[in-house]
Amino acid sequence: MRKQYIFVIKESFFIKAKIYFSHLFFSSFLLLWTLFNEITNFNFRFFMSKVSINEINVLAPASVANIVCGFDILGFALNGPHDKMLIRKTSQKEVIIINKDNYNLPTDPPKNVIGGALLALLDKVNEDIGFIVESTKIIKPGSGIGSSAASAAGAVVGANYLLGNRFSNEELVHFAMCGEEIASGSKHADNIAPCIYGGITLVRSIAPLDIISISAPELFVTILHPLIEVKTSDSRGILKTQISLKDAVTQWGNIAGLVAGFMKNDYELIGRSLIDVVAEPIRSILIPCFDEIKNKSLLAGALGGGISGSGPSVFMLSKNEATAKAVELAMIKVYKNIDLNFHTYITKISSQGVKIQLENS
Amino acid sequence: MRKQYIFVIKESFFIKAKIYFSHLFFSSFLLLWTLFNEITNFNFRFFMSKVSINEINVLAPASVANIVCGFDILGFALNGPHDKMLIRKTSQKEVIIINKDNYNLPTDPPKNVIGGALLALLDKVNEDIGFIVESTKIIKPGSGIGSSAASAAGAVVGANYLLGNRFSNEELVHFAMCGEEIASGSKHADNIAPCIYGGITLVRSIAPLDIISISAPELFVTILHPLIEVKTSDSRGILKTQISLKDAVTQWGNIAGLVAGFMKNDYELIGRSLIDVVAEPIRSILIPCFDEIKNKSLLAGALGGGISGSGPSVFMLSKNEATAKAVELAMIKVYKNIDLNFHTYITKISSQGVKIQLENS
């Protein structure tokens, strides 16, 4: 027969135990919550880099090159519109492009801006890695607000993220220029640099590449996009290969004034410096009613502006949103009188370039 | 018989009175001293403007125009050498120039830089006022470090002081350009602007005149002055009137980089941007051993440099005085091997332009 032990437990014991366990539960919860926050907040990047991410969404912004007098050297990123890309990393050397829009762009990588940029990047990667890109272009090709640069820059920034950010911004500009070359026929970085660096960028030199970020005050941008196509290669072709020293001096005086105006946050100086005596007098003939658009925009309060990149889009800078809207109305009023479709946007110079959005990990 | 009054004064009264009067004396002294300080310190300018000053000494600094890539738009004032002028106001419309040096410059006002500048200024003065200028040139004419600009700027800043500073800096630049025109054959302000404003200046535009001060970090300047004369008009004459668009883009990329480098206090960017593909390749043939001087200066640690103005002086920028001295030694070493007299200076970019010294009031 087994011994029997009888424990008599007072009711007060249960009350104490209840309090004790509820304390224990609460402190454990606090400890775990703190640990969770530590990991997610502070070690997010480290943590994510250890997790294999194979697919991301990319938003690649439109951009304005030249900025009137800064032909081939200045550019800024816009707060929108953005091209969208879904980029998936694969385990073999390949670039596959799937168009999710109706622009019928070539999908053969060496003939496609995204393809050209990614092939240049993969050339510097030793592993068996490739990319499948589903591209949804929102920025119309040939609109003059950096459509090809958005494709090229978005692709390489996205791919670099999937590779653990192993390349520098400068290297990414190099790769993206190989894509841009397919669209425009020449390697230039005045749209790509702001797409990758954000804000306003100066491409001091292409070889060796020297990109400088230029600070600036808040600037609103009104864009008029006449629905005609002007190819970058055509728009470059009509420029004179020789210019007078006198015009060159005028132009670099304005470029120096524009850079100083941006960096001094001097809106009036920015406005006074937005004069182009080299490209605008020639290129503007390709844009219907350019002079009227410009004059009416200035009357509506714009600081200044001109052809975006090589056109046909026209951009105007304003100190505030109300003025940018007044400028948009003035533009619409001019274009409503002619038989031509067009779009207008109001946006801002964006300090951020290409944006990454995680899809699946 | 007159009444007699006898006053008995206790000794304690005298002690109290003594204390009282010493207090009164001390507080009166304090009050007067404070008033005197108020007048001399705070109201000095107002006080002096009410006193007729008829004679002043002026120190007008040498300056460097172009700053390599900034042809015709950029310039900076030097901390020395300075031209000296004694300017006396007279009570009739006249300009009398007395040379106190051995340069035998013309004294006929319309043919003299000082004269031309002062005649332009007097053209805007309705009273019967004139100036006698005793000029002692220290900056050799034709040396390329703004000798004529120092004369023109010094004369108008001094004259303006004697007229109670009635003209703005911008108006003074206009007057001084009329003097500069006599020496160089064209109205340019790239030496005059820094002489009047001090520091580094950008002449964004001549008509309308738009001068912008550019901030910069401390910069030491080594100057080599080969004792040969290169006239500004000759040096301008050999330049091509047409340049390739490609060269123009390179040049304005460097100008934008230089302005950004100055304003960001980025010595490396300043150095990288000091490249001139327009004037230097042509003008440097007028300066003996230019390429060797430049290469050896860079090896000695200079950030960069080139022809000062239209030459023959050569300038090099350095981060500190020790480097500026090493650059001077490197320059001397090159020039000691050739049969040519020369001077060297070590100076700094000066935030001050023309200096006024009061003589008699």
Side-chain angles (χ1 to χ4, degrees):
Chain A
M1 212 178 142
R2 286 180 185 173
K3 278 185 181 174
Q4 278 191 327
Y5 296 94
I6 297 165
F7 293 96
V8 180
I9 299 164
K10 289 180 189 167
E11 200 194 347
S12 66
F13 173 82
F14 288 103
I15 293 167
K16 279 177 188 166
K18 200 174 152 192
I19 293 168
Y20 173 76
F21 277 106
S22 72
H23 273 196
L24 187 71
F25 174 78
F26 188 68
S27 25
S28 306
F29 174 77
L30 265 182
L31 182 73
L32 284 170
W33 181 247
T34 311
L35 270 169
F36 175 73
N37 273 321
E38 279 287 318
I39 290 163
T40 50
N41 286 342
F42 296 105
N43 299 322
F44 184 72
R45 276 166 186 273
F46 175 77
F47 175 74
M48 292 312 286
S49 72
K50 299 291 164 200
V51 172
S52 178
I53 299 170
N54 291 316
E55 195 171 299
I56 48 161
N57 274 314
V58 170
L59 288 176
S63 56
V64 169
N66 297 348
I67 321 185
V68 188
C69 49
F71 179 74
D72 262 6
I73 61 163
L74 291 174
F76 56 74
L78 292 171
N79 217 14
H82 288 95
D83 273 357
K84 292 173 185 174
M85 273 174 249
L86 176 73
I87 308 182
R88 199 171 303 129
K89 192 170 74 178
T90 66
S91 54
Q92 62 190 72
K93 281 258 177 193
E94 64 181 349
V95 173
I96 297 168
I97 294 154
I98 302 157
N99 290 327
K100 294 285 210 178
D101 48 49
N102 301 317
Y103 290 119
N104 290 321
L105 294 171
T107 52
D108 183 20
K111 289 177 185 160
N112 178 290
V113 171
I114 293 173
L118 289 180
L119 288 173
L121 179 142
L122 283 175
D123 203 40
K124 301 285 176 197
V125 173
N126 286 325
E127 302 107 283
D128 279 333
I129 282 173
F131 300 101
I132 300 172
V133 183
E134 289 181 17
S135 164
T136 312
K137 284 206 77 65
I138 305 295
I139 311 161
K140 195 174 179 290
S143 56
I145 49 170
S147 177
S148 54
S151 293
V156 296
V157 172
N160 192 39
Y161 190 89
L162 293 174
L163 294 175
N165 288 321
R166 66 177 75 174
F167 296 112
S168 69
N169 276 350
E170 208 175 283
E171 287 171 304
L172 295 182
V173 171
H174 269 295
F175 303 144
M177 276 163 64
C178 296
E180 180 76 293
E181 196 182 9
I182 293 168
S184 70
S186 73
K187 275 193 182 177
H188 63 104
D190 41 346
N191 282 104
I192 287 167
C195 257
I196 290 176
Y197 286 73
I200 301 174
T201 55
L202 159 67
V203 183
R204 189 192 64 80
S205 154
I206 284 280
L209 193 62
D210 192 4
I211 293 163
I212 299 123
S213 286
I214 304 291
S215 64
E218 187 175 51
L219 282 163
F220 288 82
V221 190
T222 313
I223 289 181
L224 166 76
H225 175 204
L227 292 181
I228 51 169
E229 197 177 339
V230 174
K231 279 196 180 167
T232 309
S233 49
D234 293 344
S235 191
R236 289 190 83 83
I238 61 165
L239 292 178
K240 291 177 187 163
T241 54
Q242 297 274 315
I243 62 171
S244 74
L245 182 58
K246 195 174 157 286
D247 281 348
V249 170
T250 303
Q251 192 86 352
W252 59 58
N254 284 321
I255 290 168
L258 187 59
V259 170
F262 284 142
M263 294 182 72
K264 282 176 180 240
N265 294 342
D266 183 337
Y267 286 110
E268 280 65 38
L269 178 55
I270 292 169
R272 293 200 302 280
S273 304
L274 285 169
I275 298 168
D276 176 8
V277 296
V278 172
E280 187 178 291
I282 298 166
R283 284 183 164 173
S284 60
I285 55 169
L286 299 175
I287 299 158
C289 304
F290 176 83
D291 291 341
E292 202 183 342
I293 285 289
K294 190 168 175 176
N295 293 337
K296 293 280 164 66
S297 297
L298 294 174
L299 284 174
L303 295 169
I307 304 166
S308 175
S310 53
S313 285
V314 175
F315 79 100
M316 288 288 154
L317 294 180
S318 296
K319 228 167 153 173
N320 53 54
E321 202 171 3
T323 311
K325 280 180 182 164
V327 170
E328 187 185 34
L329 283 176
M331 288 172 163
I332 291 169
K333 213 171 163 187
V334 174
Y335 259 48
K336 280 222 164 145
N337 290 330
I338 60 170
D339 187 22
L340 187 65
N341 288 327
F342 63 95
H343 292 308
T344 55
Y345 312 84
I346 291 176
T347 177
K348 274 171 73 175
I349 295 184
S350 165
S351 59
Q352 215 190 330
V354 175
K355 290 171 198 160
I356 301 288
Q357 292 176 316
L358 298 182
E359 184 75 346
N360 299 307
S361 57
Chain B
M1 213 179 136
R2 286 178 186 177
K3 278 186 181 174
Q4 277 191 326
Y5 297 93
I6 297 166
F7 294 95
V8 180
I9 299 163
K10 288 181 187 167
E11 201 194 346
S12 66
F13 172 80
F14 289 102
I15 293 167
K16 279 175 188 165
K18 200 171 148 190
I19 292 168
Y20 173 74
F21 277 105
S22 71
H23 274 194
L24 187 73
F25 175 78
F26 188 68
S27 24
S28 308
F29 175 76
L30 264 182
L31 182 72
L32 285 171
W33 181 246
T34 310
L35 271 171
F36 176 74
N37 272 323
E38 279 288 318
I39 291 163
T40 51
N41 285 345
F42 295 105
N43 298 323
F44 184 71
R45 277 167 184 272
F46 174 77
F47 174 73
M48 292 312 284
S49 72
K50 298 291 163 200
V51 171
S52 176
I53 298 169
N54 290 315
E55 195 171 300
I56 48 159
N57 274 314
V58 170
L59 288 176
S63 55
V64 168
N66 295 346
I67 321 185
V68 188
C69 49
F71 179 74
D72 263 6
I73 61 163
L74 292 173
F76 56 74
L78 291 172
N79 217 12
H82 288 95
D83 273 357
K84 292 173 185 173
M85 272 173 251
L86 177 73
I87 308 183
R88 200 173 300 134
K89 191 170 75 178
T90 67
S91 54
Q92 60 188 75
K93 282 256 177 194
E94 63 180 351
V95 173
I96 297 168
I97 293 153
I98 302 157
N99 290 327
K100 293 287 213 178
D101 50 49
N102 301 315
Y103 290 119
N104 290 321
L105 294 170
T107 52
D108 184 21
K111 291 177 185 161
N112 178 290
V113 171
I114 292 173
L118 289 181
L119 288 173
L121 179 143
L122 283 176
D123 204 38
K124 302 283 175 198
V125 173
N126 287 326
E127 301 107 284
D128 279 332
I129 281 172
F131 300 101
I132 300 171
V133 183
E134 291 181 17
S135 163
T136 312
K137 283 205 77 65
I138 305 295
I139 311 161
K140 197 173 177 290
S143 56
I145 49 170
S147 178
S148 53
S151 292
V156 296
V157 172
N160 192 39
Y161 190 90
L162 293 174
L163 294 176
N165 289 322
R166 64 177 74 174
F167 296 111
S168 69
N169 276 350
E170 210 175 281
E171 287 171 303
L172 295 182
V173 171
H174 269 295
F175 304 145
M177 275 163 65
C178 296
E180 180 76 293
E181 195 182 11
I182 294 168
S184 70
S186 73
K187 275 193 183 178
H188 62 104
D190 42 344
N191 283 103
I192 286 167
C195 256
I196 289 177
Y197 287 72
I200 301 174
T201 55
L202 159 67
V203 184
R204 187 191 65 78
S205 154
I206 284 281
L209 193 62
D210 192 4
I211 293 164
I212 298 124
S213 287
I214 303 290
S215 63
E218 187 175 53
L219 282 163
F220 288 83
V221 188
T222 314
I223 288 181
L224 167 76
H225 175 204
L227 292 182
I228 51 170
E229 197 177 338
V230 175
K231 280 197 178 166
T232 308
S233 49
D234 293 345
S235 190
R236 288 191 84 82
I238 61 166
L239 292 178
K240 291 177 189 165
T241 54
Q242 296 274 316
I243 62 172
S244 73
L245 181 59
K246 194 172 158 287
D247 281 349
V249 171
T250 304
Q251 193 84 354
W252 60 58
N254 285 319
I255 290 168
L258 188 59
V259 170
F262 284 142
M263 293 183 70
K264 283 177 179 241
N265 294 341
D266 183 338
Y267 286 110
E268 281 64 38
L269 177 55
I270 293 169
R272 293 201 302 279
S273 304
L274 286 168
I275 298 169
D276 176 9
V277 296
V278 172
E280 187 178 291
I282 298 166
R283 284 183 164 172
S284 61
I285 55 169
L286 299 174
I287 299 158
C289 303
F290 176 83
D291 290 341
E292 201 180 345
I293 285 289
K294 190 167 176 176
N295 293 336
K296 293 282 164 65
S297 297
L298 294 174
L299 283 174
L303 295 168
I307 303 166
S308 175
S310 53
S313 285
V314 175
F315 80 98
M316 287 288 154
L317 295 180
S318 297
K319 227 168 154 170
N320 53 52
E321 201 171 2
T323 311
K325 280 181 181 165
V327 170
E328 186 185 34
L329 283 176
M331 287 171 163
I332 291 171
K333 214 170 162 187
V334 174
Y335 259 49
K336 279 225 164 143
N337 289 330
I338 59 169
D339 188 22
L340 186 65
N341 289 327
F342 63 94
H343 292 308
T344 55
Y345 312 82
I346 292 177
T347 178
K348 275 171 74 174
I349 295 184
S350 166
S351 60
Q352 216 190 330
V354 175
K355 289 170 197 160
I356 302 286
Q357 292 176 318
L358 298 181
E359 184 75 349
N360 299 308
S361 59

